């Protein structure tokens, strides 16, 4: 049985943050020490980010609110709303983004419709409300009220892969299943001014975005390139529990992102890949650079640099991750879905190409995955060649 990701779409809030403008705002805040000011400029300038999106409209320099909560454009001051105020905005803005991304994925999947959805899996670590986003999607899109609903909450940047793994398991258990997976993260709700290096790092990296996928094992024609979901693995590194964390404070969620994290990834990435690649005999023993595509979660520029150097990957293989980081920042769990979409949208050299995915999160957790991008597709009238190919496959 082949389980296939048949549509993948993304969505972002309308408000755009220009990195150098955001840097200047954060660097100008009262209470920053000289060291804090230097850290702000260093972190923002070295992040390899040009633009990010935020659900906080008042963070735009062109927006002036008479009753600001996060940023007072008249004074240039970053404000410090409570966790409840931040979460209330999450409930409003995340709901709209969950529905938008889900609707886009359904519209892109011409061979399936809302009535076909049997399972909904939602993902977020940046807010909570109940009835949750799974419920909101069912109501807004007119899905069957008996749809099975699951929410993966507070896992962190790697959570899209467990969500896709769950979707694969549902489809293997029921070949008629059609699973809608939606990830929405509003990380910018939790940024704040501080002299703390972790907080400054988060302010320079994190952003808001959404990704949605339709997954099924039904034997149907395709309306575009698809991903076969091959294998997923989870590895916990022996160190790093205190180096990456996500905690709830009185004034938002608090990130711990130690500068030691890239070193941990450098030391343990090869071992983390071993159980995944052992599941794919065709990839056993070949150089990492011979795998066609790499969908790496861009947790930050230094993490991508470490992965590229350790695995000896080409600049071209890092383009999807680096371009996602440059244009959207780190959107936590949604980010790797942007990277996968970048790969899906690229012209293919072969009919079938392997993709190795990696994402990192608290623990330190390393989630890995193998996909096959299928680009030579059967026609919608069902008369095409199907998914069987008789030539050598480029991995």
């Amino acid at each position: 049985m082949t389980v296939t990701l048949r549509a993948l779409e993304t969505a972002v809030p309308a408000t755009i943050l220009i990195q150098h403008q955001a840097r200047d705002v954060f660097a100008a805040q009262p209470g920053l020490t000289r060291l804090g000011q230097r850290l702000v400029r260093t972190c923002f300038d070295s992040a390899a980010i040009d633009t990010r999106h935020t659900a906080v409209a008042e963070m735009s320099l062109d927006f002036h609110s008479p009753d600001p909560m996060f940023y007072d454009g008249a004074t240039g001051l970053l404000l410090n709303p409570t966790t409840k105020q931040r979460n209330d905005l999450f409930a409003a803005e995340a709901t709209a983004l969950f529905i938008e991304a889900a609707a886009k994925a359904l519209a892109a999947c011409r061979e399936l419709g809302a009535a076909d959805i049997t399972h909904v899996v939602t993902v977020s670590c940046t807010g909570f409300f109940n009835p949750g986003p799974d419920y909101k999607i069912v109501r807004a899109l007119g899905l069957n009220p008996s749809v099975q609903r699951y929410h993966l909450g507070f896992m962190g940047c790697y959570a899209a892969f467990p969500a896709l793994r769950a979707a694969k398991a549902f489809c293997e258990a029921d070949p008629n299943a059609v699973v809608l997976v939606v990830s929405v993260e509003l990380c910018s709700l939790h940024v704040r001014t501080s002299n703390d290096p972790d907080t400054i790092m988060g302010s320079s990296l994190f952003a808001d975005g959404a990704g949605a996928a339709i997954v099924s094992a039904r034997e149907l024609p395709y309306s575009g390139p698809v991903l076969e979901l091959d294998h997923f693995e989870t590895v916990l590194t022996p160190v790093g529990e205190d180096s990456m964390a996500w905690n709830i404070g009185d004034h938002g969620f608090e990130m711990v992102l130690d500068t030691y994290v890239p070193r941990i990834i450098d030391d343990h990435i090869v071992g983390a890949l071993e159980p995944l690649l052992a599941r794919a005999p065709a990839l056993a023993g070949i150089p990492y650079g011979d795998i066609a595509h790499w969908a790496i979660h861009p947790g930050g520029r230094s993490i991508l640099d470490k992965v590229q150097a350790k695995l000896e990957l080409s600049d071209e293989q890092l383009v999807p991750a680096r371009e996602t980081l440059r244009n959207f920042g780190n959107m936590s769990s949604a980010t790797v879905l942007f990277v996968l979409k970048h790969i899906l949208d690229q012209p293919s050299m072969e009919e079938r190409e392997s993709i190795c995915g990696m994402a990192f999160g608290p623990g330190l957790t390393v989630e890995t995955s193998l996909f096959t991008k299928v680009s030579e597709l059967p026609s919608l009238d069902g008369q095409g060649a199907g998914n069987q190919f008789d030539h050598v496959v480029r991995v």
Side-chain angles (χ1 to χ4, degrees), residues 359-379:
F360 318 98
L364 187 86
T365 302
V366 183
E367 287 282 343
T368 59
S369 57
L370 283 175
F371 308 94
T372 301
K373 179 182 177 182
V374 183
S375 299
E376 183 67 25
L377 307 172
S379 62

Side-chain angles (χ1 to χ4, degrees), residues 332-373:
S332 191
S333 69
T335 320
V336 77
L337 298 177
F338 281 68
V339 178
L340 284 170
K341 181 168 174 55
H342 189 291
I343 294 171
L344 263 179
D345 290 345
Q346 288 179 352
S348 297
M349 300 297 293
E350 302 288 344
E351 292 170 347
R352 295 171 65 86
E353 297 175 341
S354 291
I355 302 170
C356 186
M358 302 189 73
F360 318 98
L364 187 86
T365 302
V366 183
E367 287 282 343
T368 59
S369 57
L370 283 175
F371 308 94
T372 301
K373 179 182 177 182

Side-chain angles (χ1 to χ4, degrees), residues 108-193:
C109 191
R110 294 189 298 174
E111 61 275 15
L112 294 168
D116 294 295
I117 301 298
T118 60
H119 300 69
V120 173
V121 181
T122 53
V123 181
S124 189
C125 70
T126 49
F128 303 93
F129 60 92
N130 201 7
D134 49 314
Y135 170 91
K136 299 292 187 180
I137 289 170
V138 170
R139 291 302 194 196
L141 300 185
L143 306 186
N144 191 316
S146 65
V147 163
Q148 296 184 38
R149 310 190 326 263
Y150 303 86
H151 181 71
L152 302 184
F154 221 65
M155 296 183 75
C157 293
Y158 61 83
F161 284 160
L164 292 175
R165 183 171 60 230
K168 175 178 167 67
F170 292 145
C171 293
E172 290 172 338
D174 176 6
N176 196 49
V178 178
V179 186
L180 171 61
V181 176
V182 192
S183 170
V184 171
E185 303 288 8
L186 303 187
C187 307
S188 72
L189 298 184
H190 303 289
V191 300
R192 63 180 65 79
T193 182

Side-chain angles (χ1 to χ4, degrees), residues 59-91:
M59 291 295 291
S60 169
L61 297 183
D62 299 323
F63 186 95
H64 297 287
S65 171
D67 186 23
M69 182 184 303
F70 287 80
Y71 176 67
D72 186 347
T75 63
L77 293 178
L78 288 165
L79 308 178
N80 196 20
T82 66
T83 299
K84 181 183 185 307
Q85 290 173 314
R86 297 173 194 261
N87 196 69
D88 285 347
L89 186 58
F90 174 87

